Amino acid sequence: MHVKGRAIATWEWFVESAIRLAGILAIIFVLLIFAFLLRNALPIFRQVPVGNLLGGRFWRPTSEPAQFGMLPLLLGSLYVTLGALLIAVPLGLSCAVFASEVAPARLREVLKPLIELLAAIPSVVYGFLGLLLLGPWLANVLNLPVGQFAALGSLLLALMALPMIVSIAEDAIRAVPVALRHNSLALGATRWQTIIKVVVPAARSGIIAASLLGVGRAIGETMTVLMVTGNAAVIPQGLVGFFRPVRTMTATIAAEMGESAYQSSHYYALFAIGLMLFIITFVTNTLADVLVRRAGGVKT
Amino acid sequence: MVILLATDEAKNIIRPEGEIRLETIDLDMFYDDFQAVKQISIAIPSRRITALIGPSGCGKSSFLRCLNRMNDVIEGTRVQGKVLLDGEDIYSPDTDVVQLRRRVGMVFQTPNPFPMSIYDNIAYGPRLHGVRDRTQLDEIVEKSLRSAAIWDEVKDKLHQSATDLSGGQQQRLCIARVLAVEPEIVLMDEPCSALDPTATFRIEELMTELMENYTIIIVTHNMYQASRVSQYTGFFLMGELIEYDHTVRIFENPQDQRTDDYVRGRFG
């Protein structure tokens, strides 16, 4: 009895330690990645003033003298991401509302796995789809000069971000107490009025979090945008910019890392882009996390 | 003067004196195969408080929800028989359910303010029904909150979140929210079961005040509450209306043995 008790205690200690180690490791990995990025990015900040890096209008890493202005890349990512958001959020929210409030149970059972399937398609396949089919077709229909442009990337990213947005938004909507819906209906609201005025506002933190996680997904996506957005490091102008080639931060790193000389200024500058990306996704994810937690508190 | 209903003389069910605008005739309600409400015929007196009492699961809440068709939103429910409001069957195909629920308001067991400001909670119903004018909304909000005896407590924080109020305040807010759409009848489904005695007392006081202008039907577990606030009481058991009479008679001189047992606390 006593021995058995001690054996159990040892086992408990072992499992506990293993789990704790795994948890701590995850944090350590993130810190290590951050440190690695920082160490490789720092030299460029010594060579080029921060203002020129972040605000520079030209990204010409191989010309003489080289220019490392990230503004076109930042704006490129912004355009593609913003576009993706504008497509994915209304679509995802509608899907979530449909799945949780309107669809009969049987349809819902089919709908969710189907939407989640979108996440299982490799990004390079989306790229192919955009490059060979959607791009040329859209360019033809919209009478665009080229079949590779920011909005095309947005469209494909929106599809890729959709499953995450739908599933988190749906959870948030389902977490809204049934009693709130009944109260609204009992006041003479229609089902539609109840959804728009009570259910969606009550789930708003979760919906915003879903959108932010979608942003995180979109901004970090590389392969698809590399294939379909045209890779022109120019500053996009106004609304037309959505229909012209751009170049995102991720695509720049992917395209140029292989060509840059080890520990050259170009090499360090690419790491600086990576650092920027890391910070942006870290902030959006943290924000989303806070909102999800707050949404959880509303459930009562 | 009490008149026995001709349809079922065996039961001790009276027809109250005075104006009757809401009554049910042979009302049945089912959850899939389970019959929760059986052949209920009852006439509800206008501008009085009618209490429905009975043990848990006796069908009184299910019956209450038949009166504003809130059972419609629960899957698998089915209703037979008639509910007449001003002589018209609310279950007839051409009933406008939205309009019906405006006329027959409902206060639920647990207070559930919408996650928005106090003002917006009260203005919710009127806005749904097309009131846009700011001054008009202001008036409705103040009037409703005053009627629900909560104005003085919230008048300085109308634009703060309603979910920060105490449970008793939230329930009065929910009553105000119902009053804001100016219903004729207010259904209350155990409105005090989640409240402490002080808050309960305030709601009971409020009901008595509201009786002047509204017809109130309250479902309650609490027999003392029924005897304190209502003029008429119906006793439900296993989905049937066993006895319906003046509250005083139900509690002091019930005709049915089962009613007698229940109000004396022998079961339930």
Side-chain angles (χ1 to χ4, degrees):
Chain A
M1 178 88 179
H2 181 70
V3 173
K4 198 178 171 194
R6 198 155 55 187
I8 289 173
T10 312
W11 175 245
E12 289 278 314
W13 174 86
F14 177 75
V15 172
E16 220 172 86
S17 310
I19 291 171
R20 186 180 301 136
L21 188 69
I24 291 171
L25 268 182
I27 299 171
I28 289 175
F29 284 145
V30 174
L31 289 177
L32 281 178
I33 290 169
F34 183 69
F36 171 74
L37 279 175
L38 200 62
R39 197 177 67 110
N40 282 293
L42 273 181
I44 195 72
F45 291 104
R46 270 185 241 122
Q47 294 165 13
V48 183
V50 178
N52 288 8
L53 267 180
L54 295 180
R57 303 174 58 83
F58 300 101
W59 176 262
R60 288 170 185 156
T62 49
S63 59
E64 271 309 319
Q67 285 175 290
F68 297 109
M70 285 187 204
L71 198 61
L73 313 179
L74 271 169
L75 286 174
S77 280
L78 185 75
Y79 263 65
V80 173
T81 306
L82 197 72
L85 208 60
L86 286 177
I87 300 167
V89 169
L91 199 59
L93 185 55
S94 314
C95 265
V97 167
F98 180 73
S100 57
E101 299 286 313
V102 185
R106 287 231 312 273
L107 182 57
R108 184 189 304 145
E109 302 291 308
V110 185
L111 197 67
K112 265 202 112 175
L114 274 182
I115 293 173
E116 268 148 28
L117 206 62
L118 286 174
I121 299 172
S123 56
V124 69
V125 174
Y126 280 102
F128 255 128
L129 195 77
L131 193 61
L132 299 179
L133 280 173
L134 212 52
W137 181 72
L138 277 175
N140 194 13
V141 170
L142 301 173
N143 201 16
L144 302 176
V146 281
Q148 289 157 290
F149 49 95
L152 182 58
S154 302
L155 191 61
L156 295 170
L157 286 186
L159 279 179
M160 297 166 81
L162 208 55
M164 185 185 271
I165 294 180
V166 172
S167 105
I168 295 173
E170 203 218 345
D171 286 346
I173 289 171
R174 284 226 207 169
V176 174
V178 177
L180 280 187
R181 296 178 174 86
H182 286 182
N183 272 275
S184 171
L185 292 169
L187 286 167
T190 61
R191 186 156 79 152
W192 180 238
Q193 286 169 325
T194 300
I195 292 171
I196 292 300
K197 293 175 190 233
V198 173
V199 178
V200 170
R204 62 179 172 253
S205 325
I207 290 166
I208 294 169
S211 312
L212 282 176
L213 288 170
V215 175
R217 175 89 171 82
I219 208 163
E221 175 50 43
T222 308
M223 186 48 79
T224 310
V225 289
L226 181 65
M227 289 169 82
V228 304
T229 57
N231 289 312
V234 290
I235 291 181
Q237 304 287 337
L239 277 179
V240 179
F242 281 109
F243 300 98
R244 296 285 179 269
V246 291
R247 173 181 250 197
T248 65
M249 298 194 282
T250 49
T252 306
I253 299 175
E256 296 177 8
M257 195 44 111
E259 300 162 10
S260 66
Y262 180 60
Q263 292 191 340
S264 64
S265 298
H266 187 191
Y267 176 88
Y268 293 132
L270 291 176
F271 270 100
I273 296 175
L275 188 66
M276 285 285 298
L277 271 173
F278 181 88
I279 292 168
I280 292 171
T281 44
F282 183 79
V283 169
T284 48
N285 274 311
T286 310
L287 211 59
D289 197 44
V290 169
L291 287 169
V292 168
R293 231 171 270 175
R294 195 180 296 167
V298 175
K299 276 178 194 171
T300 44
Chain B
M1 185 59 212
V2 298
I3 308 155
L4 285 170
L5 277 180
T7 49
D8 199 345
E9 285 175 272
K11 287 182 182 173
N12 301 290
I13 295 169
I14 63 149
R15 188 177 179 86
E17 313 86 81
E19 191 189 18
I20 307 276
R21 293 177 59 192
L22 177 67
E23 66 180 303
T24 68
I25 297 168
D26 295 338
L27 190 72
D28 292 317
M29 203 280 277
F30 303 83
Y31 293 106
D32 294 316
D33 295 333
F34 174 73
Q35 185 168 7
V37 170
K38 295 171 186 163
Q39 291 285 303
I40 303 233
S41 297
I42 188 171
I44 305 296
S46 289
R47 298 179 187 225
R48 293 286 179 274
I49 299 175
T50 303
L52 306 179
I53 60 169
S56 299
C58 68
K60 55 194 192 300
S61 289
S62 301
F63 171 75
L64 195 72
R65 285 197 303 270
C66 288
L67 303 179
N68 65 344
R69 291 189 55 171
M70 276 307 284
N71 283 325
D72 290 14
V73 303
I74 300 166
E75 262 176 66
T77 58
R78 190 157 51 86
V79 171
Q80 283 169 8
K82 282 183 175 161
V83 178
L84 300 177
L85 179 59
D86 285 336
E88 287 182 33
D89 186 8
I90 66 169
Y91 282 93
S92 85
D94 44 280
T95 299
D96 178 354
V97 179
V98 165
Q99 201 58 32
L100 167 72
R101 292 190 186 137
R102 255 188 99 167
R103 294 177 64 190
V104 186
M106 185 163 213
V107 176
F108 292 79
Q109 197 165 353
T110 42
N112 258 299
F114 300 134
M116 46 179 96
S117 72
I118 293 170
Y119 186 98
D120 289 338
N121 260 278
I122 307 299
Y124 182 79
R127 279 180 179 144
L128 285 181
H129 305 305
V131 182
R132 289 275 171 273
D133 182 57
R134 186 75 197 188
T135 36
Q136 204 184 341
L137 279 175
D138 287 348
E139 277 168 26
I140 293 172
V141 169
E142 177 169 350
K143 189 173 153 229
S144 310
L145 288 168
R146 279 191 193 282
S147 307
I150 190 180
W151 171 253
D152 289 332
E153 291 158 66
V154 300
K155 65 180 178 208
D156 299 323
K157 48 178 181 180
L158 290 177
H159 295 284
Q160 290 176 24
S161 171
T163 47
D164 294 338
L165 296 173
S166 74
Q169 288 175 325
Q170 287 187 6
Q171 193 59 301
R172 275 178 286 145
L173 178 91
C174 289
I175 293 173
R177 192 169 66 187
V178 170
L179 299 182
V181 297
E182 300 185 321
E184 296 152 36
I185 297 163
V186 179
L187 310 175
M188 297 188 169
D189 189 1
E190 298 185 38
C192 302
S193 64
L195 304 182
D196 63 37
T198 320
T200 301
F201 176 71
R202 298 224 49 182
I203 302 277
E204 287 178 7
E205 258 186 343
L206 171 62
M207 288 171 65
T208 311
E209 286 163 27
L210 293 176
M211 193 177 78
E212 278 182 40
N213 297 306
Y214 300 91
T215 301
I216 296 173
I217 307 174
I218 176 175
V219 158
T220 177
H221 258 116
N222 182 335
M223 281 182 282
Y224 299 104
Q225 181 167 59
S227 67
R228 278 193 301 261
V229 300
S230 70
Q231 289 80 51
Y232 291 88
T233 297
F235 171 61
F236 277 68
L237 190 63
M238 318 257 290
E240 288 177 71
L241 181 60
I242 304 295
E243 189 163 356
Y244 178 51
D245 208 328
H246 291 276
T247 298
V248 181
R249 264 170 73 88
I250 291 283
F251 283 94
E252 287 173 8
N253 188 19
Q255 303 301 301
D256 193 288
Q257 185 59 42
R258 291 166 294 182
T259 315
D260 194 54
D261 288 346
Y262 183 73
V263 299
R264 284 174 204 284
R266 290 200 196 103
F267 76 96

